[in-house]
Amino acid sequence: MSQTPSPAAPEQETHNGGQPSSVLPWYRRPLLWGLLFFLGLLLLAAWLFWKEWQSAENLKEQIAFQTAELQKQNQAREDFLARLRQLLKEEPCEVQRKLPLLSPPPGIAWPPLADGAARAGSVSPDASEPAARTAPATPQASQPAKAPQGFAALMEQATVLVLALREEGLSMGSGFFVSPGHVVTNAHVVGPAEKAVVVNKATGAPLPARVLRAVQSNGRDFAVLEVEGGPAITPLALTTDVWRTERVSAWGFPGAVTNDDPQFLALLKGNAAAAPEVVYTDGVVSVILERKPALIVHTATVSQGNSGGPLVNDKGEVVGINTFIKLDDESYRQSSLAIVSASLAEFLKAAGVPVTMAAPSGPDQGASQPAVQTDGAKPVQKSDQAQIASDGVKGAQGGKP
């Protein structure tokens, strides 16, 4: 009996008769590498995202820190401005005394003086002694001075505000041009400072000035400043003629008026283009005290800040330099005193500063006293100076009275 072959047998034989199938190793499987590549892309994207997040967080922290610093600076400046506004409500003397004592926030130059001011030095010796500083050649203006039109225009362009930084604070006074490059003021305005700043509307901006020579002894109280880079200014002429009952006017920057001038406040805040208005008062010569140097007592109103300003006649000629005020507590009367121009001219000549002297002229009709002559006048003794101080004479400069 024959057996029928199984149908699966040929297939098994075919399978057994061919080559056996092989299994691919893992490193040759495309699916595995595709999966690994996808995971790598995910990790790279996650790393890049983390880096961006870190950068954003760091930038956010920096911005927050800078914002906090700016807020602190703004708050400090707001507090400083509030202190300034509060200080400006006080008396002018207190304002000038306390202003330099304020501590400004970082980044603000204080006090607002161009190039600062020196705090060292001393008053020069008497004019009869050799000068401690040699007067250099007079600086020439870039253009010839054009004569101003009218009396008021002449005085406004020649009268300047003088600011000097002293140990006790910022000192404010007046002065006037005696040559295109020289300004005269009182020695007690600049004190021991070697530098100052002068400004008015004609200068266009605060001008640095060097104290060329100063004297504050034997009744004299003069300082001459050398101005750097000033514009063309018509200087004032000096005259030795002055008469009782002659009409005179005082020009300058009294603190009672200037401290309320918006332009002066803007100047203190750093606006170099701001300049306060020159203040004018008029009166007559009451008497000429025969001292050495002689003193002019007049009725033109002056106050602290007028020190160093010119006292002029109706032709714009300087008859004296305003220096003191004397107060009578019983009658509430004020006397204004100026040192005669004859003594100022001697001081300027000794300092080597060119000055214009007006031609002598006779007294006006009705005058009752001759022109001042300084020769032979009684010298001012120390006891006389002490008596003046006890009678209430005060310097008319800025600062503490």
Side-chain angles (χ1 to χ4, degrees), residues 136-365:
T138 305
Q140 299 295 325
S142 57
Q143 296 179 353
K146 182 180 179 181
Q149 300 297 319
F151 172 74
L154 172 67
M155 300 306 303
E156 288 173 352
Q157 59 93 43
T159 308
V160 295
L161 173 67
V162 179
L163 298 172
L165 184 61
R166 300 165 52 175
E167 289 291 342
E168 61 271 24
L170 185 66
S171 177
M172 181 180 78
S174 303
F176 57 96
F177 280 93
V178 291
S179 80
H182 294 96
V183 166
V184 165
T185 186
N186 284 139
H188 71 253
V189 172
V190 295
E194 294 183 348
K195 293 183 179 180
V197 172
V198 300
V199 64
N200 67 6
K201 288 188 174 181
T203 64
L207 300 178
R210 180 172 67 93
V211 180
L212 191 63
R213 188 182 180 94
V215 59
Q216 194 174 4
S217 63
N218 297 329
R220 293 179 297 175
D221 190 353
F222 307 130
V224 58
L225 315 179
E226 183 184 49
V227 181
E228 303 173 7
I233 295 290
T234 300
L236 300 181
L238 306 186
T239 179
T240 57
D241 290 343
V242 59
W243 311 88
R244 187 199 296 269
T245 73
E246 181 180 12
R247 294 205 63 83
V248 291
S249 58
W251 296 77
F253 298 86
V257 178
T258 302
N259 285 334
D260 292 329
D261 191 328
Q263 294 297 315
F264 178 65
L265 301 180
L267 178 66
L268 291 181
K269 292 179 181 179
N271 184 358
E277 296 287 347
V278 184
V279 180
Y280 154 85
T281 58
D282 67 347
V284 296
V285 175
S286 301
V287 66
I288 302 170
L289 302 180
E290 293 291 339
R291 315 179 83 143
K292 186 177 180 181
L295 293 178
I296 304 170
V297 182
H298 61 90
T299 61
T301 303
V302 299
S303 63
Q304 294 177 346
N306 273 113
S307 270
L311 181 70
V312 300
N313 57 23
D314 55 4
K315 293 181 287 186
E317 300 166 346
V318 180
V319 300
I321 177 172
N322 289 310
T323 306
F324 303 106
I325 57 176
K326 185 174 181 180
L327 303 175
D328 186 345
D329 295 334
E330 295 183 359
S331 63
Y332 301 100
R333 179 179 178 181
Q334 173 182 314
S335 298
S336 306
L337 293 92
I339 305 175
V340 293
S341 291
S343 180
L344 176 60
E346 294 174 359
F347 165 75
L348 293 173
K349 181 179 179 181
V353 175
V355 62
T356 302
M357 299 298 300
S361 61
D364 294 336
Q365 200 159 14

Side-chain angles (χ1 to χ4, degrees), residues 18 60 63 112 119 121 222 280 343 385 395:
K60 187 186 298 183
I63 293 175
R119 296 176 180 241
F222 307 130
Y280 154 85
S343 180
Q385 294 175 336

Side-chain angles (χ1 to χ4, degrees), residues 46-96:
W47 181 78
L48 292 176
F49 177 79
W50 180 80
K51 292 292 290 184
E52 289 293 328
W53 180 81
Q54 284 289 100
S55 299
E57 288 296 316
N58 292 337
L59 182 60
K60 187 186 298 183
E61 292 178 0
Q62 292 178 4
I63 293 175
F65 177 77
Q66 293 174 359
T67 302
E69 288 295 318
L70 290 175
Q71 289 175 347
K72 289 172 58 178
Q73 293 178 10
N74 289 339
Q75 186 60 44
R77 296 187 179 188
E78 288 291 338
D79 295 341
F80 183 65
L81 288 176
R83 295 200 304 271
L84 279 178
R85 295 189 187 99
Q86 187 66 29
L87 179 59
L88 290 176
K89 296 179 181 179
E90 300 185 14
E91 293 295 326
C93 291
E94 290 298 311
V95 173
Q96 294 167 4

